[in-house]
Structure formats: structure tokens, C-alpha cells
Amino acid sequence: MAGPTTETVFNIFRSMESGPAAPSSAATAQAWLDHHSRSLGFFIDGKFVHLAERRSLSVLDSKGGQVCGVLCAEEADVSQCAASAVSAFKSWSLLSCYQRAKVLLRLVGVLGLHGQCLSELSQLCAMACSPPSLIRLLQFYSSWAQLRDTLLSGWTPLGVVAVVTSDDSSVYSLMLKVVPALAMGNAVIVVPGRSVAPPALLLAQLFSGAGLPAGVLNVLTGSDVTLGVNVAQNPSICYVTYSGSKPDGLALVQASAGMGVPVSVSPCVGATCPFIIFESADINSAVDEVIEAAFKKKSEVHWVLCVQESVCDNVVDRLKLRLAGLKCVSLQSEADRSLVDTAVQEAQQQGATLIQSCSAPPSGPLYPPTVLCGAAPASPCVVSPAPGPLLPLMTFRCHKEAVAVGNHSPHGLAASIWTEDLTLALETAKNLSVGSVWVNSHSVVDPCLPVCAHKDGGSCTDGGQEGLYQFLRPSVSSLPIRSSAVPLDYSKFGTEESPAVIPDPASSPPSYLQFVGGKACKSVSGCSVAVQSPGGGGGVLGLCPEGGRKDVRNAVEAALKVQPGWQKKTPSARALSLHALVKGVEAKRQDLATSLHTQTGVSMDEAEKEVELSITRLALWAAYCDKVQGGSLVLQSSDLPAGLVNVVTGRRDQLTVALANHSVIRSIWYWGSAEGCRYLQYTCTRPLKTLRLVSQEGQDEGVDWTQASPSFLEDLWRNAVQWKSVWIPTA
């Protein structure tokens, strides 16, 4: 009988030999690149187009080596691509919902088969890509493709949609716009950033191989966001949507202002997001996850660690333990290393202390994971963090301070909350001005929930059912008429004074007041503007206050004061307030009709019909209050809270300038001149505002504001809400 062995499990495992190495993981992606001779052309009309005369750009890996080359599209390529997309849209949009859904479901199988190749190619290009997430995305929106005519009746696809991304946007962010656009029956032109171009071209080829008709998905590559502007200029493009870094997004919006094409922006790259740890959190789990989020995962966002003072020392001790042994992180360039060094030096000068996994090398594009303890809220490493492995740490004392620190960022993209107190988590999530909140988790994505950044975090909603509507329009409305950009000097818009109108003293025109904060008041300037009769031949009808920037400021302050309380009201309470307003308008029905007749020149019959429509529409929205869940004179006689509705009168262009430049206003609906529309598109970028623009010079054709189509009304209220997703893990 054999004697007892003294071998331990540790020794057994240490003495085991490794098996044969698996084939190189990059072989498949390398073979695909070799098949294209390491030079990728455009993908137009279902095939690759290689043009020898086009300028080529190199795509680099994380170490600076060349992966492949991509071509730079020119105007002729844009025209060819747009023509292909227009032709393909006609056939793709006429397919049944089942046929389109079948193509997308087939893509699920194709991506499952070639997902490894896509993942490898993305890694070669230093891009993040998760094939399972893309498969889930395709599964979700293939179902919506099937259900479009059933659950989205009354809506129709836009036509040809351009999806533009920056160089540092992820593959998932790109496909979060491409897939729902295809599912709704649109044709798509993708203009990817340089690093995401190879995966985008591979996906286009896979989509074509799965049965997507030629021309429905085209890909044009270029050097920068200028190509996106060139695509937006093409008259065949109905809508442009962007995902990536904010500077490129703003450049796209401003360059395309006045072209008559809607442009939405999702600046998901570079946003600052709070990672909040309360004293009631599982500290070990929270620290592990913040290390994972900040240093181990390739992320599009920058995290700021916010820790309750009572557990700060405990968190710091665990951070030191977890950071020990972590290797230096590769930066994209020497220039990034310089930015990181500067940010760290400034933070230290402002009193921050460092926790590092190891000493920073003297030079080179490498830097150790670094926690900046005691970073000031106004520090550059918090407000505009450098592109490197830096994690600022700030402290707070109570729940209110946690919310204040969490809302310090202007971006409003997302936040992570760590606590075992669910009531505290939900209250904090409610008060944070962000679009996504993860409780005891982070960076979780699922296509069923919307991604809608608040504050300066974007002007559109992606994901979920809510993300479909940017690619649809009510069937009863038509697309805006495309026009050439009108010449405009942005610095002088709204500054030109109209000639003064001196009323005849004998006529004694009535004087009116503004309505701000629940009461009638004069303008801050004390000046008035004359309201002339239709055609100008009937004299002056009245004098209205000439409002300006300070009047807009007062109105916004009044609205900010009342909005939280109005939002907390129950839907039935809000409905009662609106019904009270309906009664007030009905009581003044004849006076309002007479005023419309006098001021606009329409007949009394038409004026009475407009008043009746207004009453009906108010009653309709009152009925909607408890049907659609979500946030959001005559007026004095209703029980609407003071400041909820404010009326500022004056010269339209002057007020447009004041509204566009106000940092708190989140959305503007504008009916006015083509110049005003262009000014708003160009100016409403800091911060980004959601715009609904209607030009009086032709772009309102085909829109019947009197009809009550369900899709038309839904389009209105969807333009007046923003969404928030809260993730709560369950057992």
C-alpha cells in the first residue's frame, strides 16, 4: 500500500505543464485586413469601392503601429453614396415589417459567427467592442422592426440618415444609432471616426452578406468631422445624428447651421461622471468596482470618486491596497502624457495628494493609475480631466452635499451610487441631474432603456423605444424643405434696432404689461414697442414692454423656482390646474377672438375657430397628464403656480439672442425667420439645447397644427420631456 503523499495542491499546480498554445487570436482579423491589402475603401451600394486617386490615412494601434489605411472621401463620393442610399431607401421602406425584422434577425446569426473577428479588429484599432452587446442590440431592435406598424402606427421613416462619430467613439455607440435607424426603415450613411472605420466597414460587409439590400447601409471614411459636414450639405440627407467627443459635435452643429437639416448630438465621450460611495455601502465591493471602472476598463467617460467623510479613510486604505501592483496604462500619445503631467501638478498645487500603483516613468506614453485625494471641485482634473488614468477623489458630509457634488459636472450623462440603503439610493438618483443612474453597479448597458443625458450632455435620446422617434416623423407631417444657408453675421444678429414708432397721442393706444413670476410687470428697461395693425395702415394697436436679457433672466429664475414643486405634483393635480386654465380661457373666449381679429386681420370666424382649438388643445393636454407619466391675465385666474408660465414681450430677434445665450434654458421652440433658425442652431451649443425650429419662410409647409393626430401630439410631448434610467441590481 502506498504511503501518504506530501505534495500540496499548490506544488501540483506549479509543476503542471502548459498545453499547446491556441492559434493567434488576431489571425482572423489580420486575414480580413490582408484580403483588402491593408487598404480599406468606401462601402457603397453593397460593395467596397477603391479609388487610387483618393488620399489615404493610417489607422494606428495602441502602440503606434500601422493597422491599415482608409481613404478620404470627396464631394463626388458623397454624391454617389447619397444617390445609392436614396434608391435603396425606396425599396427598403416598402418592405413589410416582417421582412425587415427577418433581415435583422439574420444579422444576429452572422454576428454570432463573426463576432470574434469583429472583436479582434476592434482591439487592433484600440477600440472597445463587445459582440454579445451588439447581438442583444440587434435582437431588441429586430423586434421593434416587426412591431413598427402595430405599436408605432401613424409614424413613417425619415429617409436617408447620416450617422457621424468621432475618432474615439465606441462601436456600440455607433451601432446604437445605426440599428434603430435601419429597423424603422431608413437608409443609413455612416461617417465613422478613423479608429472606428475598420470595424464599421467590416460590419457593413457582414450586414450586406446577411441580406441587407445594397445601398441601405453605406460607409464613407475621412480625416475628421468635416466629412460629416459635407454629407449634411447633400440635399438627400434628411437627418444627421452624431456620437462622440463634444468638440467635434459642436463643430458639426455650427458648420451645418442654416442648411435646413436637423442635427442631434450625443457627446458621450469625455463626460465626467460621479461615483458616489455612502457610508452605508459595501466598501470592498465599491472600491473594487471603481478601480475596474477607472483603470481597467476602456471607458468613454471620466469618473470622479465622491466619498462620505465618515468612511473616507477606510476607502483610501482599500484604494492603496487595490492599486498595489497595477501596471502603467498606455496613453495614446506623448501629448496626452504632457496633459496628464500638467493636470497632476495643478492638482497637487491645489492641495491634492497622490496614491499611485508605482512611480511614473520619466517620459513616454505610459502613466500609473493615480488617485488624486482631496481634489478641489473647481480643479481642472475634475472639470476637464486629462485623457489618462486619473481618478479625482472628493468628500461630502451628507446626502445633500453628495447631490451637490454629483451635480457639479456640466455633462449630466450618468452616475454610480453605492449604498445598501435603497431609500437613500432612490432619493439620490431622483435628485441627480443625469440620464442614467446605476445603483451598486456601473457602466451597465442594455438597449431596452433610453440613454438621455441631462444638462449639457446632448440633444437627443438613444436606446429603448424612446430612441426610435428620432428616426421617425408623424405621417401627417412632411419633411422640412432643404434650403441654402442664409448669409448671417452672428455677432450682429438681434442688435439692429427697428425704426421707432411714435403713436398718435389722439389715438391713445392701450399699454400692456409682461407676465413674470405670476404677476404683471413692466420690462426692466421701461421701454415699449408699438404693435401695429395688420399691414401697418391702421395705426398703432397698443404698446408692449420691450423685454431683453434681464427680463429673460427674471423669467428663468421664476420658472426654476416653481418647476420642482410642479414636477412633484401628482398627475391628477396637474390636470386640475390645466382644467382651471381651460375655464379661464373659456371665460375670455370673445375677448381673445376679438383681439386675434384686430391684431392679425383674420376674420372673426377664423379667430373664433382658433380660440376654440386652443381651448380644445388645453383640455386635451390636461387629459394627457395622468395618461403619460413623466415630469413636466387669464393665467392669474387659474391655479397654475406663479412662475410656471411667463410671458416676455419685445423684439423677436433680441429675445432670441437672450434665450439662446442663457445657460439654464434646456430647450427652445421657435417660430420665426430663417436667420433666427440659423442663429439658434449655431449658438445653442454651450450648453447644448434641444431645438424645435419652424421657419416662416417655407419650412412649415405640410404641417397642419390644427389636426389632432395621435402621432403628431405624441411628437409634441416627446419633444418636451427628458428621460432617466435607474439601474437597481436584483438577486
Side-chain angles (χ1 to χ4, degrees):
M1 185 174 179
T5 179
T6 58
E7 286 283 349
T8 65
V9 173
F10 174 76
N11 291 331
I12 293 173
F13 272 97
R14 190 171 63 172
S15 64
M16 291 176 66
E17 295 183 357
S18 300
S24 172
S25 63
T28 307
Q30 297 284 9
W32 183 80
L33 290 171
D34 290 338
H35 176 73
H36 291 278
S37 303
R38 302 262 166 183
S39 179
L40 304 177
F42 313 126
F43 194 84
I44 301 176
D45 208 27
K47 59 184 181 294
F48 279 94
V49 177
H50 296 269
L51 300 173
E53 64 273 19
R54 295 293 183 262
R55 185 165 62 96
S56 179
L57 296 172
S58 296
V59 178
L60 306 179
D61 59 21
S62 59
K63 297 181 180 179
Q66 182 174 351
V67 176
C68 63
V70 294
L71 301 183
C72 290
E74 298 180 358
E75 187 174 348
D77 307 313
V78 173
S79 299
Q80 179 187 358
C81 187
S84 171
V86 169
S87 177
F89 167 69
K90 295 176 182 177
S91 58
W92 177 245
S93 61
L94 291 176
L95 293 179
S96 68
C97 291
Y98 168 70
Q99 290 172 315
R100 282 193 299 271
K102 189 165 62 173
V103 172
L104 293 181
L105 281 173
R106 198 179 299 128
L107 285 168
V108 173
V110 171
L111 192 57
L113 184 63
H114 299 282
Q116 183 66 18
C117 178
L118 176 63
S119 179
E120 294 159 1
L121 182 62
S122 300
Q123 290 177 6
L124 284 174
C125 301
M127 297 300 302
C129 178
S130 170
S133 297
L134 296 181
I135 290 173
R136 170 70 181 125
L137 186 69
L138 284 165
Q139 290 172 332
F140 178 78
Y141 282 115
S142 65
S143 301
W144 274 109
Q146 175 72 60
L147 297 172
R148 193 197 76 181
D149 289 349
T150 303
L151 298 182
L152 300 175
S153 59
W155 295 85
T156 190
L158 297 175
V160 180
V161 172
V163 178
V164 184
T165 71
S166 64
D167 191 42
D168 43 8
S169 180
S170 68
V171 177
Y172 185 84
S173 296
L174 169 67
M175 300 310 292
L176 190 59
K177 291 181 179 289
V178 171
V179 176
L182 294 174
M184 293 299 98
N186 298 281
V188 178
I189 297 176
V190 175
V191 184
R194 189 188 309 184
S195 296
V196 79
L201 289 164
L202 173 58
L203 281 167
Q205 184 179 14
L206 294 177
F207 277 36
S208 179
L212 191 70
V216 174
L217 178 60
N218 300 303
V219 180
L220 288 175
T221 55
S223 58
D224 52 30
V225 76
T226 304
L227 177 58
V229 178
N230 294 336
V231 171
Q233 288 176 337
N234 191 284
S236 300
I237 304 301
C238 301
Y239 175 59
V240 179
T241 181
Y242 168 87
S243 177
S245 64
K246 187 175 179 181
D248 283 350
L250 300 188
L252 175 63
V253 170
Q254 293 181 335
S256 58
M259 295 179 183
V261 59
V263 179
S264 68
V265 177
S266 300
C268 56
V269 175
T272 301
C273 302
F275 195 105
I276 303 174
I277 301 178
F278 286 99
E279 61 183 1
S280 53
D282 179 345
I283 302 298
N284 284 328
S285 297
V287 170
D288 285 344
E289 291 304 313
V290 76
I291 293 291
E292 176 78 16
F295 303 130
K296 295 183 179 180
K297 263 189 173 183
K298 183 174 176 60
S299 176
E300 295 180 333
V301 302
H302 299 282
W303 291 100
V304 174
L305 182 57
C306 308
V307 182
Q308 196 157 9
E309 283 186 355
S310 57
V311 292
C312 184
D313 292 341
N314 194 1
V315 169
V316 169
D317 290 341
R318 282 170 167 75
L319 283 171
K320 292 177 180 178
L321 183 63
R322 302 295 194 276
L323 282 176
L326 289 184
K327 297 180 180 180
C328 289
V329 176
S330 297
L331 306 178
Q332 290 187 349
S333 65
E334 291 278 0
D336 287 351
R337 171 61 190 270
S338 177
L339 293 174
V340 170
D341 286 336
T342 302
V344 171
Q345 291 171 6
E346 290 181 348
Q348 287 180 300
Q349 290 171 0
Q350 295 175 354
T353 58
L354 304 186
I355 303 176
Q356 293 182 316
S357 60
C358 58
S359 299
S363 61
L366 292 172
Y367 204 83
T370 302
V371 178
L372 302 169
C373 297
S379 173
C381 68
V382 176
V383 179
S384 54
L390 304 181
L391 178 64
L393 187 155
M394 300 187 293
T395 59
F396 61 88
R397 290 171 294 183
C398 60
H399 164 257
K400 288 186 177 181
E401 280 193 10
V403 172
V405 171
N407 285 333
H408 180 69
S409 166
H411 301 108
L413 181 62
S416 178
I417 300 172
W418 290 79
T419 176
E420 295 184 350
D421 184 341
L422 183 58
T423 301
L424 175 62
L426 294 177
E427 184 66 21
T428 306
K430 180 181 179 181
N431 293 322
L432 286 173
S433 298
V434 296
S436 298
V437 180
W438 298 292
V439 177
N440 295 332
S441 57
H442 69 89
S443 308
V444 184
V445 294
D446 191 277
C448 67
L449 286 183
V451 179
C452 175
H454 294 195
K455 297 191 291 186
D456 194 19
S459 57
C460 71
T461 299
D462 296 317
Q465 178 184 349
E466 293 75 17
L468 296 172
Y469 292 94
Q470 62 179 312
F471 304 112
L472 297 168
R473 61 177 174 85
S475 303
V476 296
S477 65
S478 59
L479 289 169
I481 298 175
R482 292 294 301 270
S483 60
S484 301
V486 294
L488 183 63
D489 186 341
Y490 297 107
S491 63
K492 294 182 179 179
F493 180 80
T495 61
E496 298 178 0
E497 295 290 341
S498 302
V501 178
I502 303 176
D504 182 3
S507 63
S508 61
S511 295
Y512 298 93
L513 298 175
Q514 295 183 140
F515 188 78
V516 177
K519 59 185 178 181
C521 59
K522 294 182 179 180
S523 65
V524 174
S525 67
C527 300
S528 298
V529 291
V531 179
Q532 300 186 59
S533 60
V540 176
L541 298 176
L543 299 175
C544 288
E546 185 172 13
R549 179 179 56 84
K550 293 183 179 180
D551 298 283
V552 169
R553 177 202 62 193
N554 294 340
V556 172
E557 288 177 354
L560 284 174
K561 185 177 180 180
V562 73
Q563 193 272 335
W566 176 252
Q567 184 179 3
K568 289 179 181 178
K569 276 193 171 186
T570 64
S572 58
R574 291 199 297 270
L576 288 174
S577 296
L578 291 180
H579 280 301
L581 178 57
V582 170
K583 292 180 180 179
V585 175
E586 283 185 324
K588 299 286 186 178
R589 177 194 297 264
Q590 194 60 38
D591 293 343
L592 290 170
T594 302
S595 180
L596 279 173
H597 166 67
T598 304
Q599 295 180 29
T600 64
V602 300
S603 67
M604 276 299 296
D605 286 343
E606 291 177 330
E608 289 172 353
K609 288 179 181 178
E610 183 168 344
V611 174
E612 178 62 30
L613 175 63
S614 301
I615 294 171
T616 303
R617 194 59 58 85
L618 274 173
L620 181 107
W621 290 117
Y624 260 106
C625 279
D626 58 355
K627 309 301 185 297
V628 179
Q629 299 298 321
S632 242
L633 331 140
V634 171
L635 296 175
Q636 286 176 307
S637 66
S638 71
D639 66 347
L640 292 179
L644 187 66
V645 177
N646 301 280
V647 180
V648 179
T649 61
R651 304 183 193 277
R652 183 178 63 193
D653 290 351
Q654 283 182 321
L655 292 176
T656 299
V657 172
L659 293 167
N661 289 284
H662 200 289
S663 61
V664 176
I665 293 175
R666 185 71 179 85
S667 178
I668 296 178
W669 293 21
Y670 176 85
W671 286 260
S673 65
E675 291 83 0
C677 291
R678 181 175 182 180
Y679 179 84
L680 288 169
Q681 285 180 308
Y682 183 87
T683 308
C684 294
T685 54
R686 292 180 176 87
L688 281 165
K689 294 178 174 61
T690 303
L691 302 177
R692 188 181 181 95
L693 308 177
V694 179
S695 171
Q696 295 174 338
E697 300 166 16
Q699 292 193 26
D700 199 20
E701 293 180 8
V703 179
D704 181 8
W705 295 93
T706 65
Q707 52 85 26
S709 163
S711 60
F712 180 73
L713 296 176
E714 184 175 7
D715 184 49
L716 291 178
W717 74 254
R718 284 189 177 276
N719 276 271
V721 300
Q722 59 183 7
W723 305 92
K724 176 182 287 188
S725 301
V726 179
W727 292 81
I728 303 176
T730 57

